[in-house]
Amino acid sequence: MIQLTNRQARQFLLLKHGLLGEYKFSGKQGVLDFARQVSCIQYDPIDVCGKNAELVLQSRIKDFTKGMLAELLYEDRSLVDYPDKNLAIISVEDWPYFERYRQAAREHAERYPEMEALTAQVRNHIQNHGVISSDDLKLDGDFSWQSAIHWSGGNNSSRSVLEQMYSTGELIIHHKKGTRKYYDLAKKYIHPNLLNASEPLEDELEHHKWRVLRRIGAVGLLWNRASDAWLNIWGLKAKQRNEVFHQLLGEARIAAIAVEQLKETMYCRAEDLPLMDAVLQNPDPEFRCELIAPLDNLMWDRKLINELFGFDYTWEIYTPAIKRKFGYYVLPLLYGESFIGRAEIIVERKTGTLVVKNIWYEKGVLQTMKLRTALNRCLQRFALFNGCQSITAESMNG
């Protein structure tokens, strides 16, 4: 078993994510490389200072612009919107591995016999008029629908039919305008070899192994215990998870790691062992300051972040305002190898201003000149990422 100090474990995680030292990823190709490395980037439509997926990328990709992600999704079609860990962005080559979920959605449609005729209307509309959103075609129907593969549901017939067709893989998201999704036929954009591929891993255990490996790679280090990192892997209870880890270890596809002061054994993917060896050589990388997305891959297991970094983070967006400790949309603030605080930042689009409403520093953080310089550079990059020409700060708490 590999032995790591707490600092080495933190360095490994941050270097794996390209958040420590020189930028590991750059430009549009860097976006694609990172997306393939982590397999899944969680999507959330809320846009206070950038959507979650964009926030994930801006912290890692040198010279990242929001247009790069949009091009990879909706022009190049190298990436695709499809549920993985909740709503997500995945590589299009992974499409076949989610066939069991699309099949479940097709079977789920049998619960809604009234949808068949409405689905035919959508196909006809797309054939005659092209790309469609739920505002473009008002379908008559009186039923309450719930997606088989993610949390979407409701009583809006047009939206329900489009979402159902999206769930089965007949439609894909053509593009988005704000929070509104526009759909088109998947066969126009996904190569037939991928679109019509059969399920590559029919055995459920093999499928679970594939998905667990993806999630370990998405975070970098994970333990074999209940975790939000396993969300939306159907049928992965403790018994199944134990068997998956047992087999992956036996096949040498993951490696066990003991981290000082952590009771639980940690695991990384075998292909990341060269990076582990580099960390064991005691590197001294340059520090960067980055704002981290609320649903960032690094933050998927917040108990792990608390144990490794001593940073207790809760996304308070769904917490009643009166009960919030910090704010509505607060981003973790990373400096070097440590989380030094959290920041509430909003974009005033009319004035092109990045407003730093507050920064709450962790106890014991010294606001040195070097830290302040790195933070200022971070905020300048963040303003550029959001298309802001100026930055204003309202208050900062120690």
Side-chain angles (χ1 to χ4, degrees), residues 95-114:
W95 180 267
Y97 291 88
F98 292 87
E99 174 57 24
R100 66 183 58 223
Y101 298 90
R102 293 189 289 274
Q103 182 57 36
R106 293 181 198 114
E107 293 169 3
H108 182 68
E110 295 172 8
R111 297 186 186 184
Y112 307 93
E114 58 268 75

Side-chain angles (χ1 to χ4, degrees), residues 126-156:
I126 291 176
Q127 183 70 31
N128 293 324
H129 304 285
V131 177
I132 186 174
S133 79
S134 57
D135 278 350
D136 295 328
L137 181 63
K138 294 302 180 185
L139 300 173
D140 294 326
D142 185 18
F143 56 90
S144 180
W145 172 84
Q146 180 64 47
S147 172
I149 63 170
H150 62 94
W151 50 260
S152 182
N155 298 308
N156 183 316

